[in-house]
Amino acid sequence: MVLEGTVLDVRRLRLLRELKIRGTIAEVASALNFSPSSVSQQLSVLEQETGVELLRKVGRRVQLTPQAEILVGHTDALLDTLERAEADLGASLTTVSGTIRVAVFQSAALALMPAALSAMRRDHPDVRVEMVQHEPETALAETWARDFDVVVAEQYPAHAAPRHPGLDRRQLATDPIRLACPPVANEIHPVLRIEDAADLPWVMEPHGAASRHFAEQLCRRAGFEPDVRYQTADLQAQIRLIESGNAVALIPDLQWAGEPASCRLVDLPDLPRRTIFTSAREAGVTRPAIVAFRAALETAAA
């Protein structure tokens, strides 16, 4: 039981929650810029404050006890309450300020972020926006874990993005996905429909990416297994391979960022579209800096 007169420290409770999420003390230390020994020491103090065992050694790892799991559940609620309090406090002020951490995938970073950041700098100069390029599925999990405040993510047809408790979701835009082929001068042979690309080399993102799953399934429904000779998550690199006549790929329209496409584009059956959305913790969605940033993104997407 908690020692009489003891008030549990939120920072130590958060370390316990981080251990639940990340799995090892080393990962917690790396994520929060602490030393592993400091994390271990703070968790030991928390055990003394609660008067119960919170961690058990299992091989080289530590495992949370049932009592620790109870504390983690309350810590989630406590952190949400604090985040709502900060949002309400910010909303009571006449200026918008603070720092927001944003995770964004590549084509959105190229097509949407420059205009959104320019609008924030012009309209809300006291807001600092920190951006990291991240794969959407990882970014959603890390936003839930409180590493980021906002994530710009994508969802391909028939491949739903993960849902995390306490995260909202707001659609930014949808964009068509087309078969990108080399310009006529660099074509191996004319491609008028996806079936014509059955014998051509393809470039796709690595296995595990939603776009890879979508592309492979589309090719299989068209009656062939794609010859994936090149793998890269960098869509700019994919486009260079297509332009030079070395590959074909499925490319969403946002990649062209409103500029004329440098590849020849072929419509796909049923004209599939990708969905682009933002997600933030529900506890912080009324924070003025987040409201302003999402509005800037929506203007850029429009």
Side-chain angles (χ1 to χ4, degrees):
M1 58 183 293
V2 177
L3 300 179
E4 186 176 349
T6 298
V7 177
L8 297 181
D9 189 304
V10 174
R11 291 169 296 183
R12 294 188 187 112
L13 289 171
R14 187 186 174 195
L15 289 177
L16 189 64
R17 177 183 183 270
E18 292 288 335
L19 184 57
K20 164 76 173 177
I21 292 169
R22 303 184 192 280
T24 68
I25 286 175
E27 287 293 325
V28 174
S30 175
L32 299 181
N33 294 317
F34 291 164
S35 68
S37 60
S38 175
V39 173
S40 295
Q41 182 183 32
Q42 291 300 309
L43 291 173
S44 294
V45 172
L46 183 60
E47 279 193 324
Q48 294 168 15
E49 290 176 342
T50 59
V52 297
E53 182 185 35
L54 298 177
L55 305 175
R56 290 180 183 147
K57 290 276 282 184
V58 179
R60 295 184 179 180
R61 300 170 69 90
V62 291
Q63 186 179 68
L64 273 65
T65 65
Q67 291 71 34
E69 297 281 2
I70 291 170
L71 282 181
V72 168
H74 285 288
T75 302
D76 282 333
L78 181 58
L79 291 175
D80 282 346
T81 298
L82 291 174
E83 191 166 9
R84 289 190 185 95
E86 291 173 0
D88 289 346
L89 184 62
S92 73
L93 303 175
T94 56
T95 59
V96 180
S97 61
T99 298
I100 55 174
R101 299 155 299 170
V102 181
V104 60
F105 64 97
Q106 186 191 43
S107 53
L110 293 169
L112 302 179
M113 287 300 291
L117 292 173
S118 294
M120 292 295 292
R121 189 177 67 249
R122 180 189 67 238
D123 300 334
H124 304 288
D126 294 328
V127 175
R128 174 186 172 92
V129 180
E130 299 176 350
M131 183 191 82
V132 174
Q133 184 178 312
H134 245 327
E135 289 303 305
E137 293 196 5
T138 302
L140 285 164
E142 293 183 357
T143 301
W144 171 80
R146 300 179 184 271
D147 290 348
F148 299 102
D149 300 304
V150 180
V151 57
V152 184
E154 62 181 353
Q155 180 169 286
Y156 278 78
H159 194 285
R163 294 273 184 177
H164 295 276
L167 289 188
D168 77 347
R169 186 172 293 194
R170 280 171 51 176
Q171 183 171 304
L172 267 179
T174 66
D175 60 338
I177 306 166
R178 307 180 201 272
L179 177 62
C181 305
V184 174
N186 292 334
E187 278 187 332
I188 298 173
H189 63 73
V191 175
L192 302 178
R193 53 187 190 139
I194 189 169
E195 289 84 354
D196 298 332
D199 297 324
L200 296 178
W202 285 71
V203 56
M204 293 185 185
E205 292 197 40
H207 285 289
S211 62
R212 174 68 175 260
H213 177 264
F214 168 75
E216 288 179 333
Q217 291 300 310
L218 195 70
C219 291
R220 289 165 186 164
R221 286 198 298 272
F224 66 93
E225 189 69 25
D227 177 10
V228 185
R229 297 190 197 178
Y230 317 111
Q231 298 186 59
T232 174
D234 186 340
L235 293 188
Q236 298 281 62
Q238 289 192 18
I239 288 170
R240 295 296 176 267
L241 289 172
I242 300 165
E243 289 172 338
S244 59
N246 289 295
V248 296
L250 301 184
I251 302 290
D253 276 10
L254 186 67
Q255 185 63 29
W256 312 112
E259 299 295 326
S262 60
C263 304
R264 190 171 62 80
L265 303 180
V266 175
D267 286 340
L268 297 169
D270 301 323
L271 303 176
R273 301 180 73 90
R274 175 183 65 168
T275 300
I276 301 157
F277 63 93
T278 63
S279 195
R281 288 181 300 281
E282 292 171 350
V285 292
T286 60
R287 183 178 161 199
I290 291 176
V291 172
F293 178 68
R294 288 178 114 175
L297 276 174
E298 288 164 4
T299 299

